């Protein structure tokens, strides 16, 4: 972890707790679960379309075959860097779904 991560983590954790509390107060447990479903749907959709729209997928594979090894490695590193926030969004969505629907049906 970098120095920035140690500064940003507590701020982001507090922000996440604040958003969770605000969402719960506004829409209740069921709404929190629905919010988790929406966030999860968007994150999974972006993850599935990380190579671009599916209509041009064949052209993208052809272009990737023509790339040099260094260009492909750069593209892979760029994609993995862009997908880290999506993983966090999927984790947050999963937590919202479990917390929201679980407590809604439990209580």
């Amino acid at each position: 972890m970098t120095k920035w991560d140690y500064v940003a983590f507590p701020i982001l954790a507090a922000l996440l707790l604040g958003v969770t509390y605000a969402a719960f107060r506004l829409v209740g447990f069921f709404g929190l679960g629905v919010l988790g479903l929406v966030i999860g749907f968007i994150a999974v959709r972006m993850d599935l379309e990380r190579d671009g729209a599916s209509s041009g997928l064949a052209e993208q594979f052809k272009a990737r075959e023509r790339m040099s090894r260094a260009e492909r490695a750069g593209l892979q590193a760029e994609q993995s860097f862009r997908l880290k926030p999506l993983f966090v969004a999927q984790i947050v969505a999963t937590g919202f779904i479990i917390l929201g629907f679980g407590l809604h049906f439990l209580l």
Side-chain angles (χ1 to χ4, degrees):
M1 291 181 65
T2 64
K3 187 177 183 181
W4 170 250
D5 292 336
Y6 288 114
V7 173
F9 181 74
I11 295 169
L12 293 175
L15 183 67
L16 179 64
L17 287 173
V19 167
T20 304
Y21 179 74
F24 167 69
R25 296 297 292 171
L26 287 173
V27 293
F29 288 124
F30 189 76
L32 196 63
V34 171
L35 179 64
L37 284 175
V38 170
I39 292 171
F41 175 76
I42 292 170
V44 168
R45 183 73 181 180
M46 288 178 67
D47 189 22
L48 290 174
E49 292 184 356
R50 66 178 171 255
D51 291 328
S54 59
S55 62
L57 200 57
E59 292 85 19
Q60 289 176 8
F61 282 124
K62 289 178 186 175
R64 202 171 285 148
E65 288 175 2
R66 291 189 299 264
M67 287 182 181
S68 69
R69 190 175 210 175
E71 289 173 332
R72 272 186 265 158
L75 179 67
Q76 182 69 24
E78 181 182 331
Q79 283 181 343
S80 67
F81 180 74
R82 281 193 329 242
L83 292 178
K84 285 182 183 178
L86 285 177
F87 178 71
V88 173
Q90 289 172 345
I91 296 296
V92 168
T94 304
F96 277 8
I97 291 168
I98 292 171
L99 181 71
F101 290 134
L103 290 177
H104 174 74
F105 292 118
L106 185 66
L107 300 176

